[in-house]
Amino acid sequence: MVDAHALIDDLRAEQEELADLLTGLEPATWDRPTPAPGWTVVDQIAHLAYFDRAAHTAVTDPEGFDALLSEAMKDPEGFTQPDPVPPEELLPEWREAAGELRAALAEAPPGTRVPWFGPPMSVPSKATARLMETWAHGQDVVDALGVRRRPTARLRHVAHIAVRARPFSYLTRELPVPEEPVRVELEAPDGSTWFLGPDGAAQKVVGNAEEFCLVLTRRRHVEDTSLRAHGALAQEWLEIGQAFAGPPGEGRRPGQFDDRS
């Protein structure tokens, strides 16, 4: 059984790590462009704040979320990048939104189904999705700032949702979903190995857990990593896969980053 409270604790750690990094940032740095075309550091954090607020509404006020969803569908592209508030207000606003979301998730009755922009989610799935989004957009921020993060065991949540989202990676591109499974074997930050997917599958992805998560959140191109694909379907997944809902976006170009150095 999934420990929802442990997941929420990991979500807290992911959010607080990024918030701590942003604390004391010079005002001009908030306007620095990130690798996501057209997105600055401000845009990334405004995006997280908006969707943490939206997730809180989804947990606590499903009817209110339905109204929000209807409004968002009027501008499917624009609503994902809300108008940012001034940097001096944004970080406290996001901390507040993140904290209120965690509290709502922790207090949700067992069996709660959380409506969303895609299919409804369980509370553990919603916590995992918000952690993945925080980590992925946090990567855009650290890339913009020119710093590196220490990989943690929380990456397992990102890898898990990436594996579960494999069919969606095809559906969002209007491609047929392969029936053949893919096995994933990843070297974890502590040196152990994470195994995801069925044992004995002919199609397999092997490599570093952080690199896998970077590729499946489209923050690195697979050619700039040491990941190894065994089988054509495994290779195809690394090229088109995404752990997040919505359109795939531009991703990253080969050679834009090379984390093998």
Side-chain angles (χ1 to χ4, degrees):
M1 184 174 179
V2 177
D3 186 339
H5 289 282
L7 262 172
I8 294 166
D9 284 343
D10 281 348
L11 174 59
R12 178 196 304 274
E14 196 66 42
Q15 291 169 329
E16 290 183 349
E17 180 181 282
L18 179 56
D20 288 345
L21 176 66
L22 295 165
T23 300
L25 208 62
E26 291 293 329
T29 308
W30 284 89
D31 291 326
R32 186 174 296 179
T34 68
W39 288 53
T40 64
V41 173
V42 164
D43 296 327
Q44 298 286 351
I45 305 306
H47 178 89
L48 289 175
Y50 175 87
F51 281 97
D52 282 347
R53 288 285 188 209
H56 177 268
T57 300
V59 175
T60 61
D61 181 10
E63 290 185 1
F65 180 77
D66 286 344
L68 184 154
L69 180 60
S70 296
E71 191 65 25
M73 291 303 96
K74 296 177 183 177
D75 183 13
E77 295 295 328
F79 89 95
T80 63
Q81 193 174 4
D83 293 335
V85 300
E88 64 272 15
E89 300 175 17
L90 178 57
L91 186 54
E93 179 180 304
W94 177 46
R95 283 187 185 272
E96 179 182 14
E100 291 180 355
L101 170 61
R102 294 192 304 266
L105 291 170
E107 294 166 5
T112 294
R113 300 295 293 175
V114 183
W116 199 235
F117 297 93
M121 300 181 181
S122 67
V123 166
S125 292
K126 173 50 64 180
T128 302
R130 295 314 303 152
L131 189 154
M132 179 273 295
E133 286 279 338
T134 303
W135 183 83
H137 288 282
Q139 185 64 45
D140 295 329
V141 171
V142 299
D143 284 339
L145 300 180
V147 299
R148 296 288 296 268
R149 294 184 291 188
R150 179 180 62 85
T152 74
R154 298 191 297 272
L155 286 172
R156 180 154 194 155
H157 302 307
V158 182
H160 176 74
I161 200 170
V163 170
R164 293 193 63 182
R166 179 175 170 241
F168 177 80
S169 303
Y170 287 82
L171 293 172
T172 194
R173 292 167 174 78
E174 299 182 348
L175 296 172
V177 178
E179 295 184 5
E180 189 173 357
V182 176
R183 171 78 159 178
V184 179
E185 299 180 1
L186 302 174
E187 181 184 352
D190 65 359
S192 63
T193 303
W194 295 338
F195 299 98
L196 300 96
D199 191 14
Q203 302 286 325
K204 185 184 296 185
V205 172
V206 179
N208 176 272
E210 183 183 27
E211 289 187 333
F212 177 79
C213 293
L214 287 167
V215 168
L216 269 294
T217 55
R218 298 182 63 79
R219 264 60 187 183
R220 293 293 184 272
H221 194 281
V222 64
E223 292 182 13
D224 289 341
T225 73
S226 57
L227 293 174
R228 302 186 305 280
H230 302 274
L233 288 177
Q235 180 64 38
E236 180 181 62
W237 180 35
L238 290 178
E239 292 172 355
I240 71 168
Q242 64 183 72
F244 52 88
E250 296 185 31
R252 303 292 176 263
R253 305 180 306 276
Q256 187 173 359
F257 298 95
D258 190 340
D259 293 335
R260 292 168 293 183
S261 58

